[in-house]
Amino acid sequence: MTMNTQGRPTAPASVSISAIDTVSGSRGLLQHEDLLFEIGTPETTGVDLPKPKGVKSRLGGVVRKAETGLAGLSEPQAVRHYIRLSQKNYAIDLGLFPLGSCTMKHNPRLNEKMARLPGFADIHPLQPQATVQGALELIDELATWLKTLTGMPFVAMSPKAGAHGELCGMLAIRQALIARGEGGTRKRVLVPESAHGTNPATAVQCGFIVDEIKANARGRVDMDDLKSKLVRSDDIAGIMLTNPNTCGLFETDIKAIADLIHAAGGYFYCDGANFNAIVGRVRPGDLGVDAMHINLHKTFSTPHGGGGPGSGPTVLSEALAPYAPVPFVIRDEDGFYRLVEQTEGAAKDSFGRMVAFHGQMGMFVRALTYMLSHGADGLKQVAEDAVLNANYVQARLKHVMTPAFEGFCMHEALFSDAFTADGIETIDIAKALIDEGYHPMTMYFPLVVHGAMLIEPTETESKAELDRFCDALESIARRAAQGDETLKGAPYLAPAKRLDETRAARKPVLKWTAPDTARVAAE
Amino acid sequence: MRYLPLTPNDRASMLATIGAASAEDFYTDVPEAGRLKAKIAGLPDHQGELAVERHMTKLAAKNRAASAGPFFVGAGAYQHHVPASVDMIIQRSEFLTTYTPYQPEIAQGTLQTMFEFQTQVAALTAMDVANASMYDGSTACAEAALMAARVTKRKKVILSGGLHPHYAAATRLLCEAQGLTVVHLPISIDGEGALAGAADGETACVIGQSPNVFGTVTDLSGVANAAHEKGALLVSVFTEVVSLGLVTPPGEMGADIAAGEGQSIGNGLNFGGPYVGLFACKDKLVRQMPGRLCGETVDADGHRGFVLTLSTREQHIRRDKATSNICTNSGLCALAFTAHMTLLGGKGLKQLAELNHEAACELADALGGVKGVEILTPRFFNEFAFRTPVDAEAVLAMLDEAGVVGGVRASRLFPDGHMGDVIIAAATECTTADDIAAYVAALKEIV
Amino acid sequence: MTTYYTKDHEWIRVEGDTGTVGITTYAAGQLGDVVYVELPESGAKFARGDDFAVVESVKAASDVYAPVSGSVLEVNAALTDAPETVNAAAEGEAWFVRLKLSDASELSGLMDEAAYAAFCEGH
């Protein structure tokens, strides 16, 4: 036989060391990456622009004195910089992202492709309307879907995100009260204590006063407390109620609540953040709702993008529709789609304009693409699978964790920290999930449940993926119940260890400063 | 259905684990009157990619894209070239499909780019500190007015006559809802200077725009001084961020708050959204700022890292006492801005600004040479207003027939402004000599 | 010199018609790491129960209420740069303001040290 003794060894050697420091700061595929200002220079550029001709300036001397000094990067450097940074992020495309109330579902790529068609992406909001008939038709078509799915007669399309939609609904209520001559007297808005922070913040932004209502032992609105708040009713503007609520539960008494509020002369604002649990199965319009925003980035799969852009079309009842903001699209008899941009004519009672232009067109394209892909039959299945997945997670974990409330949940399962040993907190469980390769659940929200853990798997997870996730969380929960102190140091395997938020808040450093400037400032 | 992984067998076995007979069991809390038995009527059933793509493509084809020919529309949104790598970066899954960075250990990518964004915006505006973005320029402007009222504990807001009317409307709406008084100075092409005499002892802020909606650039230093003498703030607004490469930025004029639109860098026209609002202020005002902020810190190993910080200003903690109700903002658009700005660099931005200015100068010279046309904007960056001898709406319609989208008629923005014969036109680096020639040729035919 | 306590966890140390006000060690412990203190301006007037300052940790912002009515003589500006003092010495170095009392009789509605300790026990 011939013996070839050349070449590399093909079996792994077994050398064990506890920690490895590298010269580069990188850890294998996880590359260290400095701030772009530390890599680039103001002279470096990643674009090739023609030389200016030296035309005589018409700026009248209103010119910038100091250079921006901002560093640039060549294209290969820039691409590498951002791709390396991207690798420090978790994402729905990497795995289950069970952030309760945030609805991290799969973002179909067809949506992205459609949004990039030049006929949508490269049109100007102030082009002559005759040159954007397809865009206006798309807005009208999406509006029809939203109105049909919610059973509401009108939808304001311009709000830029969920909280902006809340603002739209509450401003419509404010305007309706003004029209009734009660704008100065009806100032009180009822908000459950379990509400998302945007609700009270929005009410105050509209000049209302927030009056909190309690939750009952079943995680729903406490009807006795609600009634006691309505004993005096002549100052009631309305109620802001999330449904399904932030505990992942349907408000059983929603119809009675709507009736009570209407009898008191107020309006019913429904926070539609959790519409994904009921889309295609329940129409808010059948339940007495006067206004509800819809987060297109939750229910209708437009990407969250690391914190926006969102889009918050807001459906309005007959009572509130006349006060809707401009602009909106109407279809003339001859089939021409027309923008109503001024508060006159069809919009004479409008409360005004919330934003430049027409809303989040890029998100409209994606949402409509998603709706057409699913259809009426598919959207109903979306809601059912979302709720089924959440209940499956709850059923699999309820023996090791403490469900906050009895019974089935809707689209998200809520647990309290009652099962943990002393010294182990919700945050420790959350951070341990990171080491298992998952994004943590929503933690410490809603505030009405101690150490809350809110898990929303969404409908785009397979059973196998849910099982893997539940296996991991079950094991962590057992360790938490046993008081496993190693949880306190998690995550161990993430791109960063736990970060010092106290330090960040005490001495805020909110931008990069060149080292020599920093030294001078310190001296 | 291609986005739903559960099989009928999965569903059956999961229901068994749960102890439910069917999905109906989960909806028993819904009042009978609200429970739909069948799928909602009046909407089509699900479709494959090909069918959906056909439908959407048909709608898109009914629109005239800016890049399809000579195009001169601005007034708050601008046609610019975005490098190919920017779109690749923002389509990267780890940026596109992640959430607000609530778990910083697995969100350093988003957080570091936010920190870079804040640094870039602060440098461009020449302000101390910038937030991680607002929805768009108009809502940034409105939030700036509210912030000024909080800072000064005063209730009067004064808007210049050159402020983009949509910004003015959005600002008026939010201010009046909070019981503030809004004074809007008369519409004026060169009106920012009038703000100097407008502030009094009750004024929270004066809001001026440069370049303004008619394209006029103005040094607001005098306005800032006059406002400060009365204890009021200057909010300096811009709709064309590329101008900051060349034009005096808010910080150099003594602005207390800068608010503007960042669409021009990194973001397409998108028929008005999503865009990215830029918001910056002086250091001492930071705790009254709305929106998210990213700050530098260290992790447990002592390595530099970034977190969302000063969150106690925000709705999820301060609730009814929050500085704003804003939650989700424009994260991905801000990333596009940062990536494009990184490709430009300081020098590249300046050059881009020069090219924009030169294109506008050439356009103004060419149009000004047409008989009966009068350029109205005295000092401009890449946009200006001009008067036509005939009705602007008719002119634009005829230009359109010639394949030229000639600008925005001022009467669309100011219906009561007696500006029926005024057109606002913008030129950018996308504008070619042929585009300008086509505009002039078509206009000569009309007037 | 007597120290009084409120149910909202403020303390006031009274000498003549002047009172020094802060938050209690118990409250500081509940808040966690204090990162910011917002103080009123000298000369500002407050009625009993008005919120006159804000104390913030990373995850919470709490209003601080005036134990009695009065006007602000002096604020502890050092807290702005060193908010961590509140955690280290809540009832000493980390006082918030000195007030000129406008109605000393309001003090009778407050708790003494023993009563406050019992009150905290009950929580």
Side-chain angles (χ1 to χ4, degrees):
Chain A
M1 71 186 278
T2 52
M3 288 274 283
N4 184 356
T5 56
Q6 300 293 314
R8 61 189 173 86
T10 52
S14 159
V15 180
S16 168
I17 38 175
S18 56
I20 302 171
D21 276 326
T22 57
V23 174
S24 61
S26 299
R27 305 190 74 76
L29 281 180
L30 203 56
Q31 312 251 6
H32 173 81
E33 188 64 12
D34 286 325
L35 287 161
L36 82 92
F37 315 107
E38 296 161 337
I39 308 166
T41 75
E43 307 301 312
T44 315
T45 184
V47 294
D48 289 317
L49 295 169
K51 260 206 168 53
K53 298 169 196 152
V55 171
K56 186 174 173 296
S57 168
R58 304 274 275 267
L59 291 167
V62 187
V63 292
R64 182 170 192 122
K65 293 191 193 76
E67 300 279 335
T68 62
L70 282 171
L73 298 175
S74 65
E75 181 174 304
Q77 288 174 299
V79 167
R80 201 172 270 171
H81 177 67
Y82 289 107
I83 299 309
R84 283 176 172 181
L85 288 178
S86 78
Q87 294 194 304
K88 300 176 200 291
N89 273 359
Y90 193 84
I92 185 69
D93 283 353
L94 288 170
L96 198 150
F97 205 129
L99 207 50
S101 266
C102 301
T103 316
M104 293 298 285
K105 60 170 72 175
H106 172 66
N107 304 140
R109 284 311 191 278
L110 180 64
N111 302 358
E112 297 303 310
K113 185 178 177 190
M114 295 302 96
R116 284 168 172 79
L117 292 171
F120 297 134
D122 192 29
I123 52 173
H124 191 289
L126 294 176
Q127 276 179 234
Q129 293 179 33
T131 68
V132 289
Q133 284 296 295
L136 298 178
E137 186 179 343
L138 182 142
I139 293 174
D140 189 62
E141 188 175 341
L142 178 62
T144 301
W145 275 83
L146 293 171
K147 288 185 287 188
T148 308
L149 290 170
T150 55
M152 301 283 278
F154 190 87
V155 59
M157 297 298 286
S158 67
K160 291 279 197 177
H164 208 225
E166 290 179 34
L167 197 59
C168 174
M170 295 309 288
L171 287 170
I173 290 173
R174 178 179 177 270
Q175 198 66 30
L177 291 171
I178 291 171
R180 279 162 47 180
E182 295 183 293
T185 52
R186 290 189 175 266
K187 286 287 181 194
R188 193 155 54 101
V189 172
L190 305 180
V191 181
E193 55 187 1
S194 63
H196 192 260
T198 49
N199 290 176
T202 300
V204 169
Q205 199 152 22
C206 297
F208 294 118
I209 299 155
V210 173
D211 194 1
E212 282 206 341
I213 43 178
K214 291 198 178 71
N216 64 19
R218 296 180 57 244
R220 273 83 171 186
V221 167
D222 183 326
M223 292 299 281
D224 289 336
D225 194 46
L226 173 67
K227 284 173 192 160
S228 77
K229 302 280 188 189
L230 293 173
V231 170
R232 181 181 170 193
S233 64
D234 61 348
D235 65 339
I236 286 289
I239 188 169
M240 296 183 84
L241 184 67
T242 308
N243 188 50
N245 68 24
T246 58
C247 298
L249 304 169
F250 198 91
E251 288 287 351
T252 328
D253 294 317
I254 187 162
K255 197 78 181 66
I257 293 168
D259 292 344
L260 282 170
I261 289 296
H262 289 148
Y267 296 95
F268 180 4
Y269 184 85
C270 182
D271 183 321
N274 297 331
F275 186 54
N276 57 306
I278 57 172
V279 61
R281 291 209 53 124
V282 177
R283 293 183 305 179
D286 296 334
L287 301 170
V289 167
D290 290 301
M292 183 182 90
H293 79 262
I294 299 162
N295 302 84
L296 295 185
H297 53 294
K298 295 182 179 177
T299 303
F300 299 111
S301 85
T302 72
H304 285 72
S311 182
T314 302
V315 289
L316 298 171
S317 63
E318 292 289 357
L320 294 183
Y323 310 107
V326 289
F328 53 81
V329 177
I330 52 176
R331 188 168 183 269
D332 287 341
E333 276 176 16
D334 60 0
F336 187 82
Y337 291 92
R338 191 157 57 83
L339 271 167
V340 177
E341 295 185 289
Q342 304 297 335
T343 52
E344 58 194 23
K348 67 177 169 32
D349 295 323
S350 164
F351 69 67
R353 172 184 284 276
M354 299 188 73
V355 68
F357 314 133
H358 325 305
Q360 306 283 59
M361 181 66 174
M363 302 297 115
F364 298 164
V365 179
R366 290 170 175 87
L368 183 61
T369 302
Y370 176 85
M371 289 172 177
L372 290 169
S373 295
H374 278 288
D377 54 337
L379 289 173
K380 182 165 175 283
Q381 193 67 51
V382 161
E384 288 178 13
D385 282 1
V387 172
L388 177 64
N389 277 357
N391 276 287
Y392 183 68
V393 168
Q394 180 175 277
R396 279 223 38 199
L397 295 171
K398 68 181 176 191
H399 308 294
V400 285
M401 295 169 67
T402 318
F405 301 103
E406 281 179 15
F408 295 135
C409 59
M410 297 296 291
H411 60 296
E412 52 197 351
L414 177 60
F415 299 92
S416 81
D417 62 358
F419 67 93
T420 61
D422 271 1
I424 304 293
E425 279 219 49
T426 290
I427 191 170
D428 305 319
I429 296 169
K431 300 299 184 191
L433 262 179
I434 292 175
D435 283 336
E436 293 287 350
Y438 292 103
H439 193 283
M441 66 291 271
T442 291
M443 52 183 197
Y444 301 102
F445 179 83
L447 307 174
V448 291
V449 169
H450 196 273
M453 285 167 260
L454 187 61
I455 302 174
E456 179 176 10
T458 82
E459 73 281 1
T460 57
E461 298 302 331
S462 68
K463 178 173 178 297
E465 191 64 59
L466 292 177
D467 280 328
R468 269 193 296 276
F469 171 74
C470 289
D471 290 346
L473 185 48
E474 187 177 344
S475 142
I476 295 166
R478 285 188 201 286
R479 287 163 62 200
Q482 288 156 7
D484 181 349
E485 285 289 319
T486 61
L487 292 172
K488 309 290 293 181
Y492 298 95
L493 306 173
K497 293 281 173 62
R498 283 199 208 185
L499 289 123
D500 188 345
E501 293 183 67
T502 301
R503 175 183 164 134
R506 273 192 183 149
K507 297 271 182 295
V509 178
L510 305 173
K511 65 176 183 185
W512 179 80
T513 315
D516 52 340
T517 327
R519 205 177 309 125
V520 171
E523 276 162 9
Chain B
M1 268 167 251
R2 62 189 180 276
Y3 306 135
L4 299 177
L6 295 185
T7 65
N9 279 343
D10 289 336
R11 293 189 184 106
S13 100
M14 290 163 75
L15 284 168
T17 304
I18 296 163
S22 76
E24 295 301 321
D25 288 4
F26 304 132
Y27 290 91
T28 51
D29 286 331
V30 180
E32 191 60 37
R35 237 182 282 169
L36 297 176
K37 298 290 172 279
K39 69 180 182 202
I40 287 180
L43 298 171
D45 275 349
H46 70 278
Q47 299 174 60
E49 274 207 10
L50 179 59
V52 176
E53 200 166 330
R54 260 190 209 127
H55 180 86
M56 300 304 282
T57 307
K58 206 180 283 175
L59 285 176
K62 294 181 189 173
N63 303 319
R64 197 280 203 188
S67 50
F71 191 86
F72 301 90
V73 185
Y78 302 88
Q79 183 195 20
H80 289 288
H81 178 258
V82 178
S85 54
V86 172
D87 194 44
M88 184 283 295
I89 288 165
I90 66 164
Q91 284 207 69
R92 179 82 184 178
S93 288
E94 296 89 334
F95 288 128
L96 182 75
T97 77
T98 192
Y99 201 70
T100 306
Y102 290 139
Q103 299 288 346
E105 298 88 349
I106 46 172
Q108 285 300 305
T110 297
L111 285 159
Q112 185 167 329
T113 56
M114 279 168 88
F115 190 78
E116 292 179 350
F117 174 81
Q118 289 172 191
T119 304
Q120 288 173 333
V121 174
L124 289 173
T125 55
M127 302 296 288
D128 296 330
V129 51
N131 76 6
S133 80
M134 308 297 285
Y135 304 133
D136 75 343
S138 67
T139 54
C141 177
E143 291 272 12
L146 299 183
M147 175 173 158
R150 285 194 300 275
V151 168
T152 59
K153 300 189 171 65
R154 294 179 179 182
K155 289 188 168 283
K156 186 155 103 182
V157 169
I158 301 173
L159 313 179
S160 91
L163 185 64
H164 194 295
H166 293 172
Y167 286 42
T171 304
R172 174 185 291 278
L173 178 67
L174 284 197
C175 286
E176 290 184 346
Q178 291 204 1
L180 308 181
T181 306
V182 177
V183 177
H184 197 168
L185 301 182
I187 298 161
S188 166
I189 287 174
D190 191 10
E192 312 307 305
L195 285 170
D200 60 21
E202 260 109 64
T203 307
C205 67
V206 296
I207 303 185
Q209 183 180 329
S210 174
N212 73 10
V213 69
F214 302 102
T216 309
V217 293
T218 307
D219 185 340
L220 298 171
S221 302
V223 173
N225 291 337
H228 293 157
E229 265 175 37
K230 302 286 183 185
L233 307 186
L234 168 65
V235 176
S236 182
V237 171
F238 53 90
T239 59
E240 171 52 292
V241 64
V242 171
S243 70
L244 297 182
L246 209 54
V247 174
T248 313
E252 287 187 2
M253 304 188 288
D256 301 279
I257 305 172
E261 176 55 64
Q263 169 266 328
S264 287
I265 297 185
N267 290 276
L269 288 167
N270 287 315
F271 201 49
Y275 288 173
V276 50
L278 310 183
F279 196 103
C281 68
K282 289 183 176 166
D283 253 336
K284 61 177 182 193
L285 306 182
V286 67
R287 286 184 186 267
Q288 290 298 338
M289 208 180 202
R292 308 251 189 240
L293 280 167
C294 169
E296 184 182 318
T297 187
V298 294
D299 74 359
D301 288 344
H303 295 132
R304 178 171 68 187
F306 303 92
V307 292
L308 292 178
T309 193
L310 303 187
S311 306
T312 46
R313 301 163 297 112
E314 293 183 65
Q315 45 74 26
H316 61 283
I317 292 178
R318 195 59 73 82
R319 298 177 75 85
D320 53 331
K321 290 183 175 172
T323 51
S324 164
N325 75 337
I326 194 168
C327 183
T328 292
N329 45 73
S330 294
L332 201 67
C333 303
L335 173 64
F337 178 99
T338 287
H340 189 181
M341 190 56 230
T342 299
L343 288 162
L344 287 167
K347 196 180 159 205
L349 177 71
K350 189 175 180 186
Q351 195 176 341
L352 179 65
E354 283 166 351
L355 291 170
N356 272 258
H357 184 49
E358 291 194 342
C361 289
E362 287 174 347
L363 178 66
D365 288 342
L367 294 181
V370 178
K371 193 162 168 272
V373 168
E374 182 192 357
I375 306 295
L376 301 173
T377 304
R379 306 167 302 281
F380 59 81
F381 170 63
N382 71 349
E383 179 168 37
F384 55 85
F386 67 94
R387 179 170 285 133
T388 67
V390 283
D391 176 67
E393 188 164 8
V395 171
L396 288 174
M398 284 185 273
L399 284 170
D400 187 35
E401 278 170 30
V404 176
V405 184
V408 184
R409 63 186 162 86
S411 59
R412 182 169 175 185
L413 296 170
F414 299 100
D416 307 321
H418 308 290
M419 292 189 156
D421 56 356
V422 176
I423 291 172
I424 302 169
T428 71
E429 78 281 3
C430 300
T431 309
T432 65
D434 288 348
D435 292 342
I436 293 173
Y439 198 160
V440 170
L443 192 60
K444 276 184 179 157
E445 291 288 314
I446 298 161
V447 300
Chain C
M1 194 166 75
T2 318
T3 307
Y4 302 88
Y5 297 85
T6 71
K7 288 182 175 171
D8 298 310
H9 308 287
E10 293 91 11
W11 56 265
I12 176 165
R13 194 162 297 140
V14 182
E15 264 187 296
D17 62 352
T18 307
T20 306
V21 182
I23 66 166
T24 65
T25 307
Y26 173 83
Q30 292 290 308
L31 278 170
D33 292 340
V34 172
V35 298
Y36 179 67
V37 178
E38 184 185 310
L39 297 168
E41 283 176 21
S42 265
K45 286 188 171 54
F46 295 97
R48 180 174 59 175
D50 284 356
D51 49 321
F52 74 93
V54 179
V55 55
E56 294 183 6
S57 64
V58 172
K59 295 291 173 205
S62 305
D63 291 325
V64 184
Y65 305 107
V68 293
S69 311
S71 56
V72 178
L73 296 170
E74 188 187 354
V75 302
N76 187 358
L79 291 185
T80 313
D81 284 330
E84 58 274 17
T85 321
V86 178
N87 293 109
E91 297 187 31
E93 206 184 320
W95 58 276
F96 281 32
V97 294
R98 288 194 212 287
L99 286 180
K100 185 174 167 60
L101 276 53
S102 51
D103 181 2
S105 73
E106 289 174 347
L107 292 167
S108 62
L110 303 177
M111 290 177 276
D112 63 14
E113 191 172 351
Y116 178 68
F119 173 75
C120 292
E121 276 294 296
H123 267 59

